[in-house]
Amino acid sequence: MLSPEIAEPPAKAAALTGQIALFLDFDGTLVEIAPSPEDVKIDRRLPCALDALRQRLGGALALVSGRPVALLDEMMAPYRFDAAGLHGAQIRLGGADAPLAAPSEALHAATRKMVRFANSHVGVIVEDKRQSVALHWRLAPSLADEALALMEEVAAEIGPSMRLQRGKAVAELVPATASKGGAINWLLQQNGYAGRTPVFIGDDITDEDGFAAVNATDGLSIRIGDGETCARHRLASPTALRHVLLAAAEGGDLTLESFLQS
């Protein structure tokens, strides 16, 4: 892993707003982590600011999240952004949603096991996103080993069609072919994104393949907070990131240095 504190800025550090493609994680990045997914609070200035930035970026702004796209729309209402949801299993570009396959019976069976576990352990939460299912134990940290063992068991039972994605006090079954890095690479080949310098900002293990994808294209990878990472730079908190985004939306130029100097 690179040490973000000593990493050199990329050669394209002077790139201006019109040359950047901005990819943003949601939980822990745009908003603070909450005790449960339903408890997340969003700064109501943020959706409008992101819409202003999207226009200045020529449309090259996308949310890249483990959340379903429909939930991102709820949080960002009335705006609808390009988005890669469910860790890249779901992509919307230019208002067009890619079709999703129906969840398998094996995933339904795994979900039932997870629900039974949650029902018998206070503080454990199942988040059913249809294409993927997450088990949260942030409110019951003493159950981490038991919860993770259950997730490893159901992942093994499902087989290679799904993979186990770990995060902060959460583990999730996601389609094996889905990844944030893959979604970012795909978007970078599309009209409006191609040829731009990618900037990806995230905060968790689930964002590491996104950081790696951006590093491979000489872009800017930024991790929010501490923790081991391949991201080459850091911001202290979602608050620090919002300061950058709100300032740029109010008329400041958005450059790669905008993030590095925060």
Side-chain angles (χ1 to χ4, degrees), residues 116-149:
R116 285 195 295 270
F117 180 80
N119 287 343
S120 60
H121 295 84
V122 175
V124 177
I125 299 169
V126 175
E127 185 183 10
D128 187 352
K129 309 175 189 178
R130 288 185 55 78
Q131 257 61 42
S132 67
V133 187
L135 190 70
H136 299 262
W137 57 86
R138 183 171 300 279
L139 297 174
S142 64
L143 295 171
D145 290 345
E146 194 173 348
L148 189 54

mmCIF file of all heavy atoms in Angstrom, residues 116-149:
data_model
loop_
_atom_site.group_PDB
_atom_site.id
_atom_site.type_symbol
_atom_site.label_atom_id
_atom_site.label_comp_id
_atom_site.label_asym_id
_atom_site.label_seq_id
_atom_site.Cartn_x
_atom_site.Cartn_y
_atom_site.Cartn_z
ATOM 1 N N ARG A 116 -33.084 -14.374 9.879
ATOM 2 C CA ARG A 116 -33.247 -15.166 11.116
ATOM 3 C C ARG A 116 -32.164 -14.800 12.126
ATOM 4 O O ARG A 116 -32.428 -14.679 13.326
ATOM 5 C CB ARG A 116 -33.205 -16.668 10.796
ATOM 6 C CG ARG A 116 -34.469 -17.194 10.137
ATOM 7 C CD ARG A 116 -34.538 -18.708 10.174
ATOM 8 N NE ARG A 116 -33.484 -19.336 9.389
ATOM 9 C CZ ARG A 116 -33.588 -19.641 8.109
ATOM 10 N NH1 ARG A 116 -34.709 -19.358 7.433
ATOM 11 N NH2 ARG A 116 -32.594 -20.225 7.467
ATOM 12 N N PHE A 117 -30.944 -14.619 11.636
ATOM 13 C CA PHE A 117 -29.846 -14.228 12.524
ATOM 14 C C PHE A 117 -30.115 -12.850 13.132
ATOM 15 O O PHE A 117 -29.957 -12.641 14.340
ATOM 16 C CB PHE A 117 -28.533 -14.217 11.728
ATOM 17 C CG PHE A 117 -27.326 -13.825 12.533
ATOM 18 C CD1 PHE A 117 -26.694 -14.738 13.357
ATOM 19 C CD2 PHE A 117 -26.817 -12.529 12.462
ATOM 20 C CE1 PHE A 117 -25.572 -14.384 14.095
ATOM 21 C CE2 PHE A 117 -25.696 -12.157 13.194
ATOM 22 C CZ PHE A 117 -25.087 -13.091 14.023
ATOM 23 N N ALA A 118 -30.539 -11.904 12.305
ATOM 24 C CA ALA A 118 -30.814 -10.553 12.803
ATOM 25 C C ALA A 118 -31.963 -10.553 13.806
ATOM 26 O O ALA A 118 -31.918 -9.828 14.805
ATOM 27 C CB ALA A 118 -31.127 -9.625 11.631
ATOM 28 N N ASN A 119 -32.972 -11.368 13.555
ATOM 29 C CA ASN A 119 -34.123 -11.410 14.458
ATOM 30 C C ASN A 119 -33.766 -11.952 15.836
ATOM 31 O O ASN A 119 -34.454 -11.660 16.823
ATOM 32 C CB ASN A 119 -35.247 -12.255 13.857
ATOM 33 C CG ASN A 119 -35.944 -11.547 12.706
ATOM 34 O OD1 ASN A 119 -35.812 -10.331 12.545
ATOM 35 N ND2 ASN A 119 -36.674 -12.297 11.896
ATOM 36 N N SER A 120 -32.692 -12.719 15.911
ATOM 37 C CA SER A 120 -32.302 -13.312 17.199
ATOM 38 C C SER A 120 -31.115 -12.602 17.842
ATOM 39 O O SER A 120 -30.634 -13.038 18.886
ATOM 40 C CB SER A 120 -31.975 -14.798 17.015
ATOM 41 O OG SER A 120 -30.906 -14.989 16.104
ATOM 42 N N HIS A 121 -30.650 -11.506 17.234
ATOM 43 C CA HIS A 121 -29.525 -10.749 17.785
ATOM 44 C C HIS A 121 -29.824 -9.250 17.709
ATOM 45 O O HIS A 121 -29.867 -8.670 16.619
ATOM 46 C CB HIS A 121 -28.230 -11.055 17.022
ATOM 47 C CG HIS A 121 -27.766 -12.460 17.169
ATOM 48 N ND1 HIS A 121 -28.243 -13.485 16.376
ATOM 49 C CD2 HIS A 121 -26.870 -13.025 18.031
ATOM 50 C CE1 HIS A 121 -27.653 -14.629 16.727
ATOM 51 N NE2 HIS A 121 -26.825 -14.370 17.728
ATOM 52 N N VAL A 122 -30.032 -8.649 18.848
ATOM 53 C CA VAL A 122 -30.353 -7.229 18.911
ATOM 54 C C VAL A 122 -29.199 -6.396 18.328
ATOM 55 O O VAL A 122 -28.033 -6.625 18.658
ATOM 56 C CB VAL A 122 -30.624 -6.792 20.362
ATOM 57 C CG1 VAL A 122 -30.842 -5.280 20.434
ATOM 58 C CG2 VAL A 122 -31.829 -7.528 20.922
ATOM 59 N N GLY A 123 -29.554 -5.447 17.479
ATOM 60 C CA GLY A 123 -28.551 -4.544 16.913
ATOM 61 C C GLY A 123 -28.038 -4.955 15.548
ATOM 62 O O GLY A 123 -27.323 -4.189 14.903
ATOM 63 N N VAL A 124 -28.384 -6.161 15.086
ATOM 64 C CA VAL A 124 -27.980 -6.615 13.754
ATOM 65 C C VAL A 124 -29.083 -6.244 12.763
ATOM 66 O O VAL A 124 -30.269 -6.445 13.036
ATOM 67 C CB VAL A 124 -27.717 -8.134 13.731
ATOM 68 C CG1 VAL A 124 -27.376 -8.595 12.324
ATOM 69 C CG2 VAL A 124 -26.588 -8.478 14.691
ATOM 70 N N ILE A 125 -28.689 -5.711 11.608
ATOM 71 C CA ILE A 125 -29.648 -5.216 10.620
ATOM 72 C C ILE A 125 -29.362 -5.863 9.267
ATOM 73 O O ILE A 125 -28.210 -5.924 8.830
ATOM 74 C CB ILE A 125 -29.548 -3.684 10.489
ATOM 75 C CG1 ILE A 125 -29.876 -3.008 11.817
ATOM 76 C CG2 ILE A 125 -30.475 -3.162 9.385
ATOM 77 C CD1 ILE A 125 -29.549 -1.520 11.831
ATOM 78 N N VAL A 126 -30.426 -6.318 8.606
ATOM 79 C CA VAL A 126 -30.323 -6.818 7.233
ATOM 80 C C VAL A 126 -30.813 -5.723 6.292
ATOM 81 O O VAL A 126 -31.905 -5.181 6.468
ATOM 82 C CB VAL A 126 -31.155 -8.092 7.035
ATOM 83 C CG1 VAL A 126 -31.134 -8.518 5.559
ATOM 84 C CG2 VAL A 126 -30.633 -9.223 7.909
ATOM 85 N N GLU A 127 -30.006 -5.407 5.295
ATOM 86 C CA GLU A 127 -30.383 -4.430 4.280
ATOM 87 C C GLU A 127 -30.516 -5.167 2.943
ATOM 88 O O GLU A 127 -29.529 -5.517 2.308
ATOM 89 C CB GLU A 127 -29.327 -3.326 4.188
ATOM 90 C CG GLU A 127 -29.705 -2.197 3.246
ATOM 91 C CD GLU A 127 -28.612 -1.149 3.105
ATOM 92 O OE1 GLU A 127 -27.485 -1.385 3.596
ATOM 93 O OE2 GLU A 127 -28.875 -0.106 2.484
ATOM 94 N N ASP A 128 -31.752 -5.417 2.543
ATOM 95 C CA ASP A 128 -32.029 -6.160 1.316
ATOM 96 C C ASP A 128 -32.159 -5.182 0.153
ATOM 97 O O ASP A 128 -33.092 -4.389 0.087
ATOM 98 C CB ASP A 128 -33.325 -6.960 1.481
ATOM 99 C CG ASP A 128 -33.587 -7.892 0.302
ATOM 100 O OD1 ASP A 128 -32.853 -7.821 -0.705
ATOM 101 O OD2 ASP A 128 -34.536 -8.701 0.387
ATOM 102 N N LYS A 129 -31.203 -5.234 -0.764
ATOM 103 C CA LYS A 129 -31.196 -4.335 -1.920
ATOM 104 C C LYS A 129 -31.620 -5.072 -3.199
ATOM 105 O O LYS A 129 -31.415 -4.585 -4.287
ATOM 106 C CB LYS A 129 -29.797 -3.738 -2.100
ATOM 107 C CG LYS A 129 -29.208 -3.115 -0.837
ATOM 108 C CD LYS A 129 -27.768 -2.664 -1.075
ATOM 109 C CE LYS A 129 -27.090 -2.235 0.199
ATOM 110 N NZ LYS A 129 -25.665 -1.847 -0.023
ATOM 111 N N ARG A 130 -32.160 -6.265 -3.051
ATOM 112 C CA ARG A 130 -32.623 -7.140 -4.122
ATOM 113 C C ARG A 130 -31.480 -7.792 -4.892
ATOM 114 O O ARG A 130 -31.341 -8.995 -4.852
ATOM 115 C CB ARG A 130 -33.570 -6.414 -5.094
ATOM 116 C CG ARG A 130 -34.939 -6.119 -4.497
ATOM 117 C CD ARG A 130 -35.872 -5.514 -5.495
ATOM 118 N NE ARG A 130 -36.031 -6.331 -6.709
ATOM 119 C CZ ARG A 130 -36.785 -7.414 -6.775
ATOM 120 N NH1 ARG A 130 -37.445 -7.841 -5.709
ATOM 121 N NH2 ARG A 130 -36.886 -8.066 -7.926
ATOM 122 N N GLN A 131 -30.627 -7.020 -5.557
ATOM 123 C CA GLN A 131 -29.487 -7.618 -6.258
ATOM 124 C C GLN A 131 -28.353 -7.961 -5.303
ATOM 125 O O GLN A 131 -27.495 -8.773 -5.631
ATOM 126 C CB GLN A 131 -28.977 -6.659 -7.331
ATOM 127 C CG GLN A 131 -29.389 -7.005 -8.745
ATOM 128 C CD GLN A 131 -30.888 -6.998 -8.911
ATOM 129 O OE1 GLN A 131 -31.553 -6.103 -8.392
ATOM 130 N NE2 GLN A 131 -31.419 -7.961 -9.620
ATOM 131 N N SER A 132 -28.331 -7.339 -4.163
ATOM 132 C CA SER A 132 -27.327 -7.623 -3.139
ATOM 133 C C SER A 132 -27.990 -7.502 -1.769
ATOM 134 O O SER A 132 -29.053 -6.888 -1.642
ATOM 135 C CB SER A 132 -26.141 -6.654 -3.242
ATOM 136 O OG SER A 132 -26.541 -5.337 -2.924
ATOM 137 N N VAL A 133 -27.358 -8.124 -0.760
ATOM 138 C CA VAL A 133 -27.911 -8.095 0.592
ATOM 139 C C VAL A 133 -26.770 -7.889 1.577
ATOM 140 O O VAL A 133 -25.745 -8.576 1.517
ATOM 141 C CB VAL A 133 -28.660 -9.402 0.948
ATOM 142 C CG1 VAL A 133 -29.360 -9.258 2.291
ATOM 143 C CG2 VAL A 133 -29.658 -9.775 -0.128
ATOM 144 N N ALA A 134 -26.961 -6.923 2.484
ATOM 145 C CA ALA A 134 -25.919 -6.583 3.447
ATOM 146 C C ALA A 134 -26.374 -6.907 4.868
ATOM 147 O O ALA A 134 -27.543 -6.769 5.212
ATOM 148 C CB ALA A 134 -25.578 -5.099 3.348
ATOM 149 N N LEU A 135 -25.397 -7.324 5.686
ATOM 150 C CA LEU A 135 -25.628 -7.555 7.109
ATOM 151 C C LEU A 135 -24.787 -6.538 7.880
ATOM 152 O O LEU A 135 -23.565 -6.498 7.748
ATOM 153 C CB LEU A 135 -25.224 -8.978 7.499
ATOM 154 C CG LEU A 135 -25.635 -9.443 8.899
ATOM 155 C CD1 LEU A 135 -27.145 -9.645 8.978
ATOM 156 C CD2 LEU A 135 -24.911 -10.734 9.281
ATOM 157 N N HIS A 136 -25.451 -5.694 8.679
ATOM 158 C CA HIS A 136 -24.789 -4.639 9.451
ATOM 159 C C HIS A 136 -24.747 -5.016 10.925
ATOM 160 O O HIS A 136 -25.756 -5.472 11.478
ATOM 161 C CB HIS A 136 -25.562 -3.314 9.326
ATOM 162 C CG HIS A 136 -25.665 -2.771 7.946
ATOM 163 N ND1 HIS A 136 -24.816 -1.793 7.468
ATOM 164 C CD2 HIS A 136 -26.524 -3.047 6.929
ATOM 165 C CE1 HIS A 136 -25.155 -1.493 6.218
ATOM 166 N NE2 HIS A 136 -26.189 -2.239 5.868
ATOM 167 N N TRP A 137 -23.587 -4.776 11.564
ATOM 168 C CA TRP A 137 -23.490 -5.014 13.007
ATOM 169 C C TRP A 137 -22.849 -3.837 13.741
ATOM 170 O O TRP A 137 -22.309 -3.978 14.814
ATOM 171 C CB TRP A 137 -22.736 -6.315 13.290
ATOM 172 C CG TRP A 137 -21.353 -6.378 12.715
ATOM 173 C CD1 TRP A 137 -20.200 -5.920 13.272
ATOM 174 C CD2 TRP A 137 -20.977 -6.949 11.450
ATOM 175 N NE1 TRP A 137 -19.131 -6.148 12.442
ATOM 176 C CE2 TRP A 137 -19.578 -6.789 11.317
ATOM 177 C CE3 TRP A 137 -21.688 -7.581 10.415
ATOM 178 C CZ2 TRP A 137 -18.889 -7.226 10.197
ATOM 179 C CZ3 TRP A 137 -21.000 -8.013 9.299
ATOM 180 C CH2 TRP A 137 -19.616 -7.842 9.205
ATOM 181 N N ARG A 138 -22.987 -2.633 13.182
ATOM 182 C CA ARG A 138 -22.427 -1.439 13.821
ATOM 183 C C ARG A 138 -23.007 -1.237 15.215
ATOM 184 O O ARG A 138 -22.332 -0.755 16.131
ATOM 185 C CB ARG A 138 -22.699 -0.209 12.954
ATOM 186 C CG ARG A 138 -22.090 1.081 13.497
ATOM 187 C CD ARG A 138 -22.218 2.205 12.479
ATOM 188 N NE ARG A 138 -21.541 1.856 11.246
ATOM 189 C CZ ARG A 138 -20.225 1.976 11.049
ATOM 190 N NH1 ARG A 138 -19.461 2.445 12.010
ATOM 191 N NH2 ARG A 138 -19.692 1.645 9.899
ATOM 192 N N LEU A 139 -24.271 -1.596 15.406
ATOM 193 C CA LEU A 139 -24.926 -1.432 16.703
ATOM 194 C C LEU A 139 -24.687 -2.615 17.625
ATOM 195 O O LEU A 139 -25.145 -2.608 18.771
ATOM 196 C CB LEU A 139 -26.435 -1.226 16.505
ATOM 197 C CG LEU A 139 -26.832 0.037 15.731
ATOM 198 C CD1 LEU A 139 -28.332 0.050 15.470
ATOM 199 C CD2 LEU A 139 -26.407 1.275 16.496
ATOM 200 N N ALA A 140 -23.997 -3.628 17.134
ATOM 201 C CA ALA A 140 -23.707 -4.825 17.944
ATOM 202 C C ALA A 140 -22.289 -5.296 17.650
ATOM 203 O O ALA A 140 -22.085 -6.395 17.126
ATOM 204 C CB ALA A 140 -24.720 -5.926 17.645
ATOM 205 N N PRO A 141 -21.275 -4.495 17.972
ATOM 206 C CA PRO A 141 -19.894 -4.812 17.585
ATOM 207 C C PRO A 141 -19.383 -6.122 18.174
ATOM 208 O O PRO A 141 -18.495 -6.749 17.588
ATOM 209 C CB PRO A 141 -19.091 -3.612 18.099
ATOM 210 C CG PRO A 141 -19.961 -2.964 19.130
ATOM 211 C CD PRO A 141 -21.367 -3.206 18.683
ATOM 212 N N SER A 142 -19.930 -6.550 19.302
ATOM 213 C CA SER A 142 -19.477 -7.811 19.902
ATOM 214 C C SER A 142 -19.848 -9.015 19.043
ATOM 215 O O SER A 142 -19.308 -10.114 19.246
ATOM 216 C CB SER A 142 -20.066 -7.969 21.305
ATOM 217 O OG SER A 142 -21.474 -8.075 21.251
ATOM 218 N N LEU A 143 -20.763 -8.838 18.107
ATOM 219 C CA LEU A 143 -21.214 -9.940 17.249
ATOM 220 C C LEU A 143 -20.467 -9.992 15.917
ATOM 221 O O LEU A 143 -20.842 -10.759 15.032
ATOM 222 C CB LEU A 143 -22.715 -9.807 16.982
ATOM 223 C CG LEU A 143 -23.630 -9.967 18.200
ATOM 224 C CD1 LEU A 143 -25.066 -9.607 17.840
ATOM 225 C CD2 LEU A 143 -23.559 -11.396 18.733
ATOM 226 N N ALA A 144 -19.409 -9.208 15.774
ATOM 227 C CA ALA A 144 -18.709 -9.113 14.495
ATOM 228 C C ALA A 144 -18.247 -10.473 13.983
ATOM 229 O O ALA A 144 -18.486 -10.824 12.819
ATOM 230 C CB ALA A 144 -17.524 -8.157 14.618
ATOM 231 N N ASP A 145 -17.593 -11.253 14.827
ATOM 232 C CA ASP A 145 -17.058 -12.549 14.377
ATOM 233 C C ASP A 145 -18.180 -13.493 13.969
ATOM 234 O O ASP A 145 -18.090 -14.184 12.942
ATOM 235 C CB ASP A 145 -16.210 -13.190 15.484
ATOM 236 C CG ASP A 145 -14.903 -12.450 15.715
ATOM 237 O OD1 ASP A 145 -14.514 -11.629 14.850
ATOM 238 O OD2 ASP A 145 -14.278 -12.677 16.767
ATOM 239 N N GLU A 146 -19.239 -13.517 14.763
ATOM 240 C CA GLU A 146 -20.361 -14.418 14.474
ATOM 241 C C GLU A 146 -21.074 -13.995 13.189
ATOM 242 O O GLU A 146 -21.452 -14.834 12.361
ATOM 243 C CB GLU A 146 -21.334 -14.410 15.653
ATOM 244 C CG GLU A 146 -22.348 -15.536 15.634
ATOM 245 C CD GLU A 146 -23.171 -15.590 16.905
ATOM 246 O OE1 GLU A 146 -22.806 -14.911 17.899
ATOM 247 O OE2 GLU A 146 -24.179 -16.320 16.899
ATOM 248 N N ALA A 147 -21.258 -12.696 13.024
ATOM 249 C CA ALA A 147 -21.930 -12.192 11.826
ATOM 250 C C ALA A 147 -21.104 -12.472 10.576
ATOM 251 O O ALA A 147 -21.638 -12.908 9.547
ATOM 252 C CB ALA A 147 -22.186 -10.692 11.968
ATOM 253 N N LEU A 148 -19.802 -12.249 10.661
ATOM 254 C CA LEU A 148 -18.946 -12.483 9.502
ATOM 255 C C LEU A 148 -18.885 -13.968 9.164
ATOM 256 O O LEU A 148 -18.876 -14.349 7.988
ATOM 257 C CB LEU A 148 -17.542 -11.937 9.777
ATOM 258 C CG LEU A 148 -16.592 -11.904 8.588
ATOM 259 C CD1 LEU A 148 -17.204 -11.159 7.409
ATOM 260 C CD2 LEU A 148 -15.268 -11.270 8.987
ATOM 261 N N ALA A 149 -18.879 -14.823 10.186
ATOM 262 C CA ALA A 149 -18.882 -16.268 9.939
ATOM 263 C C ALA A 149 -20.145 -16.682 9.191
ATOM 264 O O ALA A 149 -20.098 -17.516 8.273
ATOM 265 C CB ALA A 149 -18.771 -17.021 11.261
#
